[in-house]
């Protein structure tokens, strides 16, 4: 299927009202539809890495990490791109809460290098570049809907204001 049409179908299936768009609301909506809690967190990332999505091996959680040192509009785009990987069913690494907490305490690292290797070892017709293009297209289709519904200012917002998410991230040592 054409990647654009595939993206439009995925977005239509979400039945999301973009009049209500904020990045927090959108993430929460997707989490509820997929029965997963999705947590998004800014992080100082190595050169060349802008975002990553990891899934929890023990709890129904998805973790989206995005580069902290880019403008808010770019941070929103990165989060949408990583959400797109999730919605498209792309492969990712499974991590434990213990590994996540240790990494965030500075006692280890998140497996971003392993994630890159995982994505580069798949069969050629499912290559990393194809998945990246698919994710960019879906993120762009989402952004078009945001703009179409006069929510452009929501593309420039920063960190989550949801207290439940903030408390959970605090418990993990993420903030």
């Amino acid at each position: 299927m054409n990647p654009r049409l595939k993206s439009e179908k995925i977005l239509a299936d979400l039945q999301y009202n973009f009049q209500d768009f904020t990045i927090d609301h959108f993430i929460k909506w997707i989490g509820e539809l997929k029965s997963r809690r999705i947590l998004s967190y800014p992080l100082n990332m190595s050169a060349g890495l802008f975002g990553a999505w990891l899934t929890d091996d023990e709890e129904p959680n998805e973790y989206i990490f995005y580069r902290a040192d880019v403008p808010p509009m770019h941070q929103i785009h990165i989060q949408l791109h990583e959400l797109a990987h999730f919605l498209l069913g792309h492969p990712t690494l499974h991590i434990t809460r213990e590994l996540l907490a240790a990494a965030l305490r500075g006692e280890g690292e998140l497996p971003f290098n392993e994630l890159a290797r995982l994505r580069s070892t798949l069969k050629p017709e499912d290559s990393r570049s194809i998945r990246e293009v698919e994710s960019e297209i879906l993120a762009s289709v989402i952004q078009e809907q945001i703009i179409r519904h006069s929510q452009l200012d929501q593309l420039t917002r920063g960190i989550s204001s949801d207290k439940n998410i903030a408390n959970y991230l605090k418990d993990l040592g993420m903030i």
Side-chain angles (χ1 to χ4, degrees):
M1 175 185 280
N2 172 307
R4 170 98 190 171
L5 294 176
K6 182 177 181 179
S7 293
E8 290 171 352
K9 180 179 180 344
I10 288 170
L11 195 56
D13 289 348
L14 292 177
Q15 298 182 344
Y16 182 75
N17 180 358
F18 280 92
Q19 289 293 122
D20 298 331
F21 182 85
T22 67
I23 191 65
D24 292 336
H25 188 267
F26 189 61
I27 288 171
K28 185 176 180 185
W29 178 269
I30 292 170
E32 288 173 358
L33 281 176
K34 302 295 183 180
S35 299
R36 305 289 292 175
R37 181 164 56 168
I38 302 171
L39 302 164
S40 189
Y41 183 69
L43 197 63
N44 294 322
M45 303 183 108
S46 62
L49 184 61
F50 288 89
W53 155 54
L54 303 171
T55 194
D56 195 308
D57 211 20
E58 302 162 328
E59 299 178 32
N61 296 329
E62 304 297 328
Y63 302 103
I64 293 175
F65 299 96
Y66 59 94
R67 194 172 190 98
D69 62 350
V70 296
M73 187 171 199
H74 194 184
Q75 291 176 353
I76 300 294
H77 176 78
I78 295 166
Q79 290 173 82
L80 293 174
H81 176 93
E82 298 305 327
L83 279 170
H85 281 297
F86 172 65
L87 291 169
L88 288 158
H90 290 167
T92 193
L93 289 179
H94 293 249
I95 61 169
T96 63
R97 183 177 174 146
E98 182 180 327
L99 173 67
L100 176 64
L104 295 171
R105 287 190 310 264
E107 299 168 3
E109 293 186 9
L110 292 168
F112 297 140
N113 290 336
E114 291 177 43
L115 182 59
R117 279 194 294 279
L118 167 74
R119 291 181 177 168
S120 66
T121 58
L122 297 171
K123 54 191 176 206
E125 63 270 15
D126 190 27
S127 73
R128 181 177 179 201
S129 61
I130 291 170
R131 290 187 308 278
E132 290 302 317
V133 168
E134 286 178 339
S135 294
E136 278 300 307
I137 290 170
L138 181 50
S140 295
V141 169
I142 293 167
Q143 289 170 328
E144 288 171 11
Q145 288 298 314
I146 294 165
I147 292 166
R148 188 169 291 130
H149 288 87
S150 301
Q151 297 295 319
L152 183 60
D153 65 316
Q154 293 299 323
L155 289 176
T156 62
R157 300 280 166 123
I159 299 171
S160 174
S161 60
D162 185 311
K163 288 187 183 217
N164 291 329
I165 291 174
N167 287 336
Y168 181 76
L169 294 175
K170 187 176 182 181
D171 289 345
L172 285 176
M174 297 173 84
I175 57 173

